[in-house]
Amino acid sequence: MRIAIDVLSGITLAYFLVLNSIYVGFTAVAWRRLTAHLRATDVMPVEEILTSELTPGVSVLVPAYNEAFGI
């Protein structure tokens, strides 16, 4: 029985090592592609976006029930 448990634990350990290695590989590929994508895209500076006539205005609505003194 002890040998069967040792074999099963070895197989389980090998499975999780292979699976986590695949996950790390996928993460590395995704990280590389993401950085390449971000470098390829042009990002406008925030000041230029805020001063543009094409940028829509933003309104913020805050509910205030029984807050007459705080407002």
Side-chain angles (χ1 to χ4, degrees):
M1 187 67 175
R2 178 74 179 165
I3 295 173
I5 292 174
D6 288 342
V7 169
L8 185 61
S9 64
I11 291 171
T12 304
L13 179 63
Y15 169 75
F16 282 109
L17 287 176
V18 168
L19 186 66
N20 284 324
S21 298
I22 291 171
Y23 287 160
V24 168
F26 284 158
T27 302
V29 169
W31 186 266
R32 187 172 177 192
R33 296 279 307 207
L34 180 63
T35 54
H37 173 72
L38 290 177
R39 286 184 186 142
T41 18
D42 282 336
V43 179
M44 294 178 62
V46 175
E47 295 83 20
E48 188 175 337
I49 293 171
L50 293 176
T51 58
S52 173
E53 294 178 6
L54 301 175
T55 304
V58 176
S59 297
V60 178
L61 300 176
V62 179
Y65 181 74
N66 288 337
E67 295 291 331
F69 295 112
I71 297 175

